[in-house]
Amino acid sequence: MPGRRVDARTERWREHRVQVRIEFVDAAFRALDRVGPDVSMGDIAKEAGAAKPKLYRHFEDKTDLYNAIVDRVRDMLWERMLSGVNLTDDSVADLVRRAAAEYVAVVSEHPNVFRFMLHSHFSQQAKETERALVAARQSARRAAEFFAGLLPTESIDVAGIELVNYSIFGAVASATDWWLGANQREVSAMPVERFVEYLAESISALAQAHARFNGVRIDPSQPLRDAFVVD
């Protein structure tokens, strides 16, 4: 019995820590929206209504908090991109366009969060850069396995899909960096709708190039299950 009571307390403490970390990440988003990408740990603690030592009790360091923010953005994007689409019947072109539109919508809602992820002093050390690359690779693999499960053939090259996803993530990040930087100088440098179209075209071009490299054609007018034709 004593052992069980300890386990219950440990579980409640674990759940409490998880909840507090979530609340601090929420506060980080608000602080970034308000202060900008040069936000400090003190700004985030103040936004959360807590003392900075409490923030450090729940996050090991700036890297830990940075990673939690990156993970939150990844989950937001994944949820937004998959919401409102029919993966069985929508055409590949429609899926790509919707994914690009949802991505740009999130960037537009939280531009300073993306500036922070791309250029923050929180992410200047080598080990943090490596962690960001690991996160990108994990996301690419997750997406590859997800899409491979939707395709009708078992001979899908998951590693190949992972590579093109990783390439797409890199291209989209670079384009976002330009777009946000350009918008700081001139708001109308590229309107939202045109930027969405640019990303959709870029994503499609990379996917088509990868398919051709592997002797496959993609018909963007077809749903995923019918879009891939082996030459």
Side-chain angles (χ1 to χ4, degrees):
M1 291 296 293
R4 291 183 180 179
R5 285 198 295 271
V6 170
D7 288 344
R9 287 198 299 269
T10 300
E11 179 61 21
R12 286 196 296 272
W13 175 243
R14 186 195 67 80
E15 291 174 356
H16 172 72
R17 285 185 61 83
V18 169
Q19 183 58 39
V20 172
R21 281 174 65 94
I22 289 171
E23 291 170 359
F24 271 123
V25 173
D26 291 342
F29 268 67
R30 296 194 302 271
L32 282 162
D33 290 340
R34 179 174 56 84
V35 177
D38 292 329
V39 70
S40 68
M41 295 290 273
D43 293 327
I44 294 170
K46 182 178 180 181
E47 184 66 37
K52 192 158 65 170
K54 182 178 180 180
L55 177 58
Y56 278 107
R57 283 201 300 272
H58 291 275
F59 293 89
E60 294 179 6
D61 50 24
K62 290 181 178 180
T63 304
D64 193 16
L65 180 55
Y66 174 83
N67 291 340
I69 293 169
V70 171
D71 289 345
R72 170 72 66 83
V73 170
R74 179 199 62 204
D75 292 343
M76 285 175 58
L77 290 172
W78 188 256
E79 181 179 353
R80 289 279 291 265
M81 288 179 183
L82 292 181
S83 65
V85 298
N86 186 326
L87 293 171
T88 302
D89 297 324
D90 288 353
S91 71
V92 170
D94 287 341
L95 292 174
V96 170
R97 177 63 171 70
R98 177 60 183 268
E102 291 295 348
Y103 170 81
V104 174
V106 174
V107 174
S108 298
E109 290 166 12
H110 301 287
N112 284 332
V113 173
F114 284 81
R115 291 185 179 108
F116 169 83
M117 291 194 301
L118 291 167
H119 297 296
S120 171
H121 58 283
F122 280 36
S123 60
Q124 295 303 308
Q125 297 177 10
K127 67 176 184 179
E128 295 168 7
T129 302
E130 291 167 4
R131 169 59 175 78
L133 290 174
V134 168
R137 291 191 182 101
Q138 289 174 341
S139 296
R141 183 72 181 184
R142 177 184 179 188
E145 292 172 346
F146 175 79
F147 286 116
L150 297 174
L151 300 178
T153 176
E154 295 181 358
S155 60
I156 294 298
D157 178 12
V158 175
I161 300 176
E162 181 182 357
L163 172 60
V164 72
N165 287 341
Y166 195 54
S167 300
I168 288 169
F169 292 167
V172 169
S174 296
T176 302
D177 186 25
W178 174 85
W179 191 58
L180 291 175
N183 283 352
Q184 284 185 312
R185 295 187 298 272
E186 183 181 351
V187 174
S188 61
M190 182 176 285
V192 168
E193 282 300 316
R194 185 160 177 79
F195 187 56
V196 169
E197 294 299 333
Y198 172 82
L199 291 183
E201 289 288 339
S202 298
I203 292 167
S204 297
L206 281 168
Q208 291 282 7
H210 172 79
R212 286 194 301 272
F213 181 76
N214 289 280
V216 177
R217 287 184 293 110
I218 301 176
D219 183 347
S221 67
Q222 296 297 317
L224 276 172
R225 65 178 183 276
D226 300 321
F228 297 83
V229 180
V230 179
D231 289 330

Short mmCIF file of all heavy atoms in Angstrom, two decimals, residues 55 113 123 140 144 165 182 185 205:
data_model
loop_
_atom_site.label_atom_id
_atom_site.label_comp_id
_atom_site.label_asym_id
_atom_site.label_seq_id
_atom_site.Cartn_x
_atom_site.Cartn_y
_atom_site.Cartn_z
N LEU A 55 10.29 29.00 -13.83
CA LEU A 55 10.45 28.61 -15.23
C LEU A 55 11.61 27.63 -15.36
O LEU A 55 11.52 26.60 -16.04
CB LEU A 55 10.68 29.85 -16.10
CG LEU A 55 10.95 29.64 -17.60
CD1 LEU A 55 9.81 28.88 -18.27
CD2 LEU A 55 11.15 30.99 -18.29
N VAL A 113 6.86 33.85 -33.72
CA VAL A 113 7.22 32.50 -33.28
C VAL A 113 8.14 31.86 -34.32
O VAL A 113 9.14 31.22 -33.99
CB VAL A 113 5.97 31.63 -33.05
CG1 VAL A 113 6.36 30.18 -32.77
CG2 VAL A 113 5.15 32.19 -31.88
N SER A 123 18.74 29.50 -29.95
CA SER A 123 19.11 28.36 -30.81
C SER A 123 20.43 28.58 -31.54
O SER A 123 20.60 28.16 -32.67
CB SER A 123 18.01 28.11 -31.84
OG SER A 123 17.83 29.25 -32.66
N ALA A 140 9.99 14.51 -40.91
CA ALA A 140 10.03 13.98 -42.27
C ALA A 140 9.72 12.49 -42.28
O ALA A 140 8.99 11.98 -43.13
CB ALA A 140 11.40 14.24 -42.90
N ALA A 144 6.53 10.62 -43.88
CA ALA A 144 6.78 9.57 -44.87
C ALA A 144 6.01 8.30 -44.53
O ALA A 144 5.37 7.69 -45.40
CB ALA A 144 8.28 9.28 -44.96
N ASN A 165 10.48 14.77 -48.29
CA ASN A 165 9.85 15.56 -47.24
C ASN A 165 10.86 16.48 -46.57
O ASN A 165 10.59 17.65 -46.30
CB ASN A 165 9.22 14.65 -46.18
CG ASN A 165 7.96 13.97 -46.67
OD1 ASN A 165 7.35 14.41 -47.63
ND2 ASN A 165 7.56 12.89 -46.01
N ALA A 182 11.16 39.92 -45.51
CA ALA A 182 10.68 40.90 -46.47
C ALA A 182 9.50 41.68 -45.91
O ALA A 182 9.38 42.89 -46.08
CB ALA A 182 10.28 40.21 -47.78
N ARG A 185 10.19 44.72 -43.82
CA ARG A 185 10.58 45.93 -44.54
C ARG A 185 9.42 46.49 -45.37
O ARG A 185 9.25 47.68 -45.51
CB ARG A 185 11.77 45.63 -45.44
CG ARG A 185 13.03 45.25 -44.71
CD ARG A 185 14.21 45.14 -45.66
NE ARG A 185 14.00 44.11 -46.66
CZ ARG A 185 14.33 42.83 -46.48
NH1 ARG A 185 14.85 42.43 -45.34
NH2 ARG A 185 14.13 41.95 -47.44
N ALA A 205 6.74 20.82 -57.28
CA ALA A 205 7.91 20.64 -58.14
C ALA A 205 8.92 19.68 -57.52
O ALA A 205 9.48 18.81 -58.20
CB ALA A 205 8.55 21.99 -58.43
#
